[in-house]
Amino acid sequence: MSLRIASSPHQHNQKTTRQLMLWVVVAAVPAIAVQSYLFGYGVLVQLVLAISTAWASEALVLMLRDKTILPRLKDHSALVTAVLLAVSIPAYAPWWLVVLGTAFAIIMVKQLYGGLGFNLFNPAMAAYVLLLIAFPVQMTQWLPPTSLQQHALGPMDAVCTVFNQASCQGVPLEQLRLDADGMTMATPLDTARTDLTMGLTLPESFDKPIFQNDLGVGWFWLNLAWLAGGLLLLQQRVIQWRIPVSVLGSLALCSLIAWSINPDTQLSPVFQLFSGATMLAAFFIATDPVSASTTARGRIYYGVLIGVLVFVIRGWGGYPDAFAFAVLLANMTVPLIDYYTRPRTYGHKIPQERP
């Protein structure tokens, strides 16, 4: 018999790393379908580009490192990174954006540190932050939900727009971003934040077409779909409950306190939980077994930290969604959290102080 030493992530169940990653992809399928319905076929184009780039980048680095390629590609960790990044960027962002981000995630954030199990940061979120800081205009060009769009885009229009920034009929992306009333659209979080800086109250902002019943049109249903996928991951024991519950609980508590004090300038807990990437990040990103805390108590502290950081950045920072920055900042604290929350060794005796 031989002893096999393997790197993290270590999961205490009967599923292999490949099976765990496949379950993540399967759980994301309903939300991807909803996102494609709400924001167009560009979501699928971005997925194809991201997955192709992830596999090519992973194979290239493995070849340069003189490692076997096919077995490592089959663990599907690169596939998960590509999917998470592709669904995080605007559906009709230029093609080179997702290619650059995915290559950076795989080559620089994952493989440069030694591959799966050695990366310090979540690869998808590190790439997202790079793109957001370097290309803020392209990363914020979200189209209106389908129900508010002036121009319906078919599958070929999606390909044309991603590669040429205009539909097959020549309608430019800037015009496609106009809603049925001729207003340039932004995400609900960005719209609410911008209106507050202009002196409007939230009730006044919620009169805009992007809001319905004080929630963002389309984004509420998208978050419900990610929530359903997250519950599937919990049911299959792919992830544990501590991180998502801590993330959502701390975000809801902070927003409830602030909203109770001043509902005219503070977003409600329901709006915070069902806007932006909240459910995607809580169940699919923050729970990354490599870059998250590894102890039971540590996962709770880690999740609470992310939720509080999201609330602070959304309220006072320059980036409305905030989850990518919150996750990366929490990744930095993982060694410290794990050090102070590691379980006591069985049989360990607390040393007595000498008189």
Side-chain angles (χ1 to χ4, degrees), residues 127-193:
Y128 179 89
V129 168
L130 169 74
L131 297 176
L132 185 60
I133 294 176
F135 310 103
V137 175
Q138 291 83 357
M139 286 292 288
T140 54
Q141 291 183 330
W142 287 89
L143 262 66
T146 306
S147 60
L148 299 177
Q149 290 180 8
Q150 279 188 344
H151 306 276
L153 297 178
M156 287 306 301
D157 287 314
V159 176
C160 291
T161 305
V162 170
F163 283 92
N164 299 320
Q165 295 298 277
S167 68
C168 296
Q169 290 75 33
V171 182
L173 181 63
E174 282 301 318
Q175 188 171 343
L176 294 174
R177 292 184 63 212
L178 301 179
D179 68 6
D181 296 327
M183 301 293 293
T184 301
M185 299 298 294
T187 65
L189 279 170
D190 195 18
T191 301
R193 177 64 188 278

Side-chain angles (χ1 to χ4, degrees), residues 191-192 194-205 208 264-265:
T191 301
T194 301
D195 288 348
L196 287 174
T197 60
M198 295 175 61
L200 299 177
T201 64
L202 287 177
E204 293 172 334
S205 180
K208 294 186 175 181
D264 287 339
T265 60

Side-chain angles (χ1 to χ4, degrees), residues 6-19:
S7 62
S8 60
H10 303 296
Q11 295 286 341
H12 298 285
N13 58 36
Q14 300 301 315
K15 294 183 176 66
T16 64
T17 299
R18 180 175 183 270
Q19 290 171 327

Side-chain angles (χ1 to χ4, degrees), residues 70-71 80 90 97 106 142 144 174 195 218 229 256 264 287 316 353:
L70 195 57
V80 170
L97 197 72
I106 298 299
W142 287 89
E174 282 301 318
D195 288 348
L256 176 61
D264 287 339
T287 54
W316 295 277
E353 294 185 0

Side-chain angles (χ1 to χ4, degrees), residues 236-278:
Q236 290 294 322
R237 298 174 60 86
V238 174
I239 62 175
Q240 297 184 9
W241 62 268
R242 290 177 179 84
I243 291 178
V245 169
S246 300
V247 171
L248 300 178
S250 58
L251 177 59
L253 179 61
C254 291
S255 57
L256 176 61
I257 295 173
W259 181 66
S260 301
I261 296 173
N262 191 350
D264 287 339
T265 60
Q266 296 294 329
L267 297 170
S268 70
V270 176
F271 189 95
Q272 291 269 24
L273 293 178
F274 292 95
S275 295
T278 302

Side-chain angles (χ1 to χ4, degrees), residues 10-348:
H10 303 296
Q11 295 286 341
H12 298 285
N13 58 36
Q14 300 301 315
K15 294 183 176 66
T16 64
T17 299
R18 180 175 183 270
Q19 290 171 327
L20 292 172
M21 296 299 175
L22 282 177
W23 268 113
V24 173
V25 175
V26 170
V29 169
I32 292 172
V34 172
Q35 189 164 335
S36 301
Y37 173 78
L38 292 172
F39 297 102
Y41 295 101
V43 176
L44 303 180
V45 178
Q46 302 289 358
L47 280 168
V48 172
L49 289 171
I51 293 170
S52 302
T53 304
W55 282 340
S57 301
E58 185 110 317
L60 175 63
V61 176
L62 291 173
M63 182 179 64
L64 294 176
R65 294 177 59 198
D66 198 23
K67 302 287 186 180
T68 54
I69 297 176
L70 195 57
R72 286 173 170 82
L73 284 180
K74 286 184 176 180
D75 67 17
H76 296 310
S77 58
L79 173 64
V80 170
T81 297
V83 170
L84 294 179
L85 179 60
V87 299
S88 299
I89 67 175
Y92 294 98
W95 66 269
W96 51 264
L97 197 72
V98 70
V99 170
L100 175 63
T102 307
F104 176 82
I106 298 299
I107 298 174
M108 304 300 294
V109 186
K110 180 186 176 185
Q111 290 295 338
L112 189 63
Y113 286 93
L116 179 64
F118 295 97
N119 49 284
L120 303 178
F121 300 100
N122 184 290
M125 291 300 96
Y128 179 89
V129 168
L130 169 74
L131 297 176
L132 185 60
I133 294 176
F135 310 103
V137 175
Q138 291 83 357
M139 286 292 288
T140 54
Q141 291 183 330
W142 287 89
L143 262 66
T146 306
S147 60
L148 299 177
Q149 290 180 8
Q150 279 188 344
H151 306 276
L153 297 178
M156 287 306 301
D157 287 314
V159 176
C160 291
T161 305
V162 170
F163 283 92
N164 299 320
Q165 295 298 277
S167 68
C168 296
Q169 290 75 33
V171 182
L173 181 63
E174 282 301 318
Q175 188 171 343
L176 294 174
R177 292 184 63 212
L178 301 179
D179 68 6
D181 296 327
M183 301 293 293
T184 301
M185 299 298 294
T187 65
L189 279 170
D190 195 18
T191 301
R193 177 64 188 278
T194 301
D195 288 348
L196 287 174
T197 60
M198 295 175 61
L200 299 177
T201 64
L202 287 177
E204 293 172 334
S205 180
F206 286 163
D207 288 335
K208 294 186 175 181
I210 192 62
F211 300 104
Q212 186 177 36
N213 299 323
D214 294 347
L215 293 170
V217 173
W219 291 91
F220 172 76
W221 296 107
L222 180 57
N223 273 274
L224 278 182
W226 285 116
L227 173 60
L231 294 178
L232 176 62
L233 293 181
L234 288 174
Q235 189 271 331
Q236 290 294 322
R237 298 174 60 86
V238 174
I239 62 175
Q240 297 184 9
W241 62 268
R242 290 177 179 84
I243 291 178
V245 169
S246 300
V247 171
L248 300 178
S250 58
L251 177 59
L253 179 61
C254 291
S255 57
L256 176 61
I257 295 173
W259 181 66
S260 301
I261 296 173
N262 191 350
D264 287 339
T265 60
Q266 296 294 329
L267 297 170
S268 70
V270 176
F271 189 95
Q272 291 269 24
L273 293 178
F274 292 95
S275 295
T278 302
M279 295 300 172
L280 165 63
F283 288 96
F284 289 81
I285 295 173
T287 54
D288 174 26
V290 178
S291 57
S293 178
T294 58
T295 66
R297 282 194 300 127
R299 291 188 181 101
I300 294 177
Y301 300 150
Y302 174 79
V304 168
L305 177 61
I306 292 175
V308 172
L309 285 172
V310 168
F311 173 76
V312 172
I313 298 173
R314 280 182 175 180
W316 295 277
Y319 299 94
D321 202 346
F323 261 104
F325 291 94
V327 169
L328 293 183
L329 290 171
N331 289 162
M332 297 180 187
T333 68
V334 165
L336 185 66
I337 292 175
D338 284 352
Y339 179 80
Y340 285 105
T341 59
R342 58 186 178 185
R344 189 176 302 278
T345 305
Y346 181 76
H348 175 80

